[in-house]
């Protein structure tokens, strides 16, 4: 009995000691942390480059693993039919320019002189027809010619009057020149032809594929001879400057970290080296822990996805690389970043 009592006393003392230690550990004063540390992996952007038109792939100018600059040629499609379209559109523009120039120049002096001569001849014919009609009418009154001759002369006179009027109107049109509406229509037609030429030239330029940004060729999808279209990518480019780290921020640190704050990134691949970065995105929604029931204790384990960007001019940070991100909370004011902070 005495031994059992001693054991019970020892157990009670140990339990009290453990409880006191736990209570002290929970209530001990803690110094506020001067930084937030999160863990994540490096991620990059990818671009699948494709031509704007359909065609047959002529040649590829880069290979997988090649580093390319923004605007560097990557591939070509056969340009023959696109060059033919440019030539056709160029000829249409040249023809319409001549049409407009002719309308703006108006009637040539020779054309006006021709119209004036025709009007003079028509008046002479009219005068002769009037004389003939009067003579035939006088002879018919004396019954020297039949009435049919008078009627024929009257018809000739009527025709001569119409021809004279027509010639006079033609002369007036020649003197005035083209209508302003015709000139305006010719100008608009020339404008449409020039737009068609510009489109054909743009399509010819698009027979060469250019890099949209600096990066590295990750995948070569097609080969020379393949048919391409805007829906068929030729290359996959990895845009690795800047890169960004996909990490998760605890709910307790959400109020401490803000967009634009500087961050330091460390990787086991480069011991002792720190990459400078900045907080570029904080998700507006929490990503819940995979629990069926969210109790009060589990709510503090909710996390928010963040992106920490970093310039990568030497291309040391690579896709999928695990890294540690430190965000200092002292004298770390959010900075306003430019559209291209890495100088791309």
């Amino acid at each position: 009995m005495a031994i059992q009592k001693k054991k019970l006393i020892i157990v009670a003392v140990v339990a009290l000691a453990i409880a006191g230690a736990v209570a002290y550990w929970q209530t001990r004063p803690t110094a506020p942390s001067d930084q937030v540390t999160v863990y994540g992996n490096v991620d990059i952007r990818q671009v699948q480059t494709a031509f704007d038109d359909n065609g047959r792939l002529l040649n590829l100018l880069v290979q997988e693993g090649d580093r390319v600059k923004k605007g560097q040629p990557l591939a070509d499609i056969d340009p023959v039919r696109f060059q033919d379209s440019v030539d056709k559109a160029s000829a249409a523009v040249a023809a319409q320019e001549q049409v407009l120039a002719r309308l703006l120049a108006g009637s040539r002096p020779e054309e006006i002189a021709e119209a004036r001569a025709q009007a003079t001849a028509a008046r002479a014919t009219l005068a002769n027809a009037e004389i003939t009609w009067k003579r035939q009418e006088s002879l018919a009154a004396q019954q020297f010619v039949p009435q049919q001759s008078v009627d024929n002369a009257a018809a000739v006179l009527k025709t001569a009057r119409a021809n004279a009027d027509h010639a006079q109107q033609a002369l007036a049109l020649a003197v005035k020149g083209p209508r302003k509406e015709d000139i305006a229509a010719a100008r608009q037609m020339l404008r449409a032809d020039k737009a068609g030429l510009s489109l054909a030239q743009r399509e010819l330029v698009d027979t060469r594929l250019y890099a949209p940004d600096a990066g590295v060729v990750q995948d070569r999808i097609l080969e020379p001879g393949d048919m391409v279209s805007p829906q068929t990518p030729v290359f996959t480019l990895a845009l690795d400057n800047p890169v960004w780290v996909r990490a998760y921020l605890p709910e307790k640190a959400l109020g401490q970290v803000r967009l634009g704050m500087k961050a330091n990134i460390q990787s086991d691949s480069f011991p002792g080296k720190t990459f400078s970065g900045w907080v570029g995105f904080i998700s507006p929604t929490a990503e819940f822990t995979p629990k069926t029931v969210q109790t009060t204790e589990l709510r503090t384990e909710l996390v928010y996805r963040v992106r920490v960007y970093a310039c990568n001019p030497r291309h040391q940070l690579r896709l999928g690389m695990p890294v540690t991100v430190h965000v200092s909370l002292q004298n770390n004011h959010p900075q306003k970043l430019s559209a291209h902070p890495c100088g791309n």
Side-chain angles (χ1 to χ4, degrees), residues 29-322:
T30 59
S33 176
D34 60 352
Q35 69 177 10
V36 172
T37 301
V38 293
Y39 305 91
N41 297 86
V42 175
D43 209 340
I44 60 175
R45 296 170 295 153
Q46 293 179 328
V47 175
Q48 290 189 319
T49 59
F51 287 95
D52 287 337
D53 290 293
N54 299 321
R56 187 172 298 280
L57 190 59
L58 190 63
N59 53 55
L60 300 175
L61 306 178
V62 294
Q63 304 295 329
E64 288 180 341
D66 289 350
R67 187 159 294 281
V68 297
K69 299 179 180 179
K70 183 177 181 179
Q72 179 177 334
L74 301 179
D76 294 307
I77 58 176
D78 191 351
V80 173
R81 62 188 179 90
F82 297 96
Q83 182 62 58
D84 291 342
S85 296
V86 170
D87 295 341
K88 180 180 178 181
S90 179
V93 169
Q96 188 60 30
E97 285 177 342
Q98 296 303 316
V99 171
L100 179 60
R102 184 187 66 196
L103 292 174
L104 291 175
S107 302
R108 291 178 295 179
E110 295 81 1
E111 293 174 336
I112 296 176
E114 180 185 15
R116 184 172 284 114
Q118 291 176 349
T120 301
R123 287 195 298 271
T125 301
L126 174 61
N128 181 64
E130 287 179 345
I131 293 173
T132 300
W133 173 72
K134 289 179 180 179
R135 183 182 296 119
Q136 292 295 325
E137 193 174 44
S138 176
L139 292 173
Q142 300 176 23
Q143 296 184 352
F144 289 122
V145 294
Q147 184 63 32
Q148 182 64 42
S149 297
V150 177
D151 295 340
N152 291 341
V156 171
L157 175 61
K158 186 176 181 181
T159 302
R161 282 185 181 141
N163 290 337
D165 184 63
H166 178 270
Q168 189 62 37
Q169 295 299 327
L171 175 61
L173 289 176
V175 172
K176 289 183 178 180
R179 297 177 58 177
K180 62 180 181 179
E181 293 84 359
D182 294 337
I183 296 176
R187 280 200 175 99
Q188 294 303 317
M189 183 61 69
L190 178 59
R191 182 180 177 185
D193 290 338
K194 286 183 176 180
L197 175 59
S198 178
L199 176 60
Q201 291 172 336
R202 179 71 259 177
E203 291 176 344
L204 178 60
V205 171
D206 289 341
T207 59
R208 169 157 285 188
L209 182 63
Y210 297 90
D213 208 339
V216 62
V217 179
Q218 182 175 336
D219 291 314
R220 170 173 160 167
I221 302 172
L222 299 181
E223 295 297 330
D226 286 336
M227 293 300 297
V228 301
S229 69
Q231 295 79 28
T232 307
V234 182
F235 294 105
T236 299
L237 296 184
L239 310 182
D240 56 355
N241 187 31
V243 297
W244 50 278
V245 176
R246 183 194 301 269
Y248 296 91
L249 191 67
E251 185 184 18
K252 288 184 177 181
L254 184 62
Q256 299 173 308
V257 178
R258 295 181 296 278
L259 293 178
M261 293 181 69
K262 296 180 180 179
N264 293 324
I265 301 172
Q266 295 177 339
S267 170
D268 293 339
S269 300
F270 303 96
K273 182 176 180 59
T274 299
F275 299 89
S276 298
W278 66 93
V279 179
F281 169 78
I282 301 177
S283 176
T285 59
E287 299 190 16
F288 296 96
T289 52
K291 301 290 184 179
T292 305
V293 179
Q294 296 295 327
T295 64
T296 304
E297 292 76 10
L298 291 176
R299 290 176 188 168
T300 58
E301 296 181 12
L302 298 178
V303 292
Y304 292 81
R305 182 164 50 91
V306 296
R307 289 184 181 180
V308 179
Y309 290 87
C311 296
N312 191 31
R314 300 181 63 182
H315 315 292
Q316 294 174 310
L317 297 175
R318 296 178 178 270
L319 177 64
M321 181 180 291

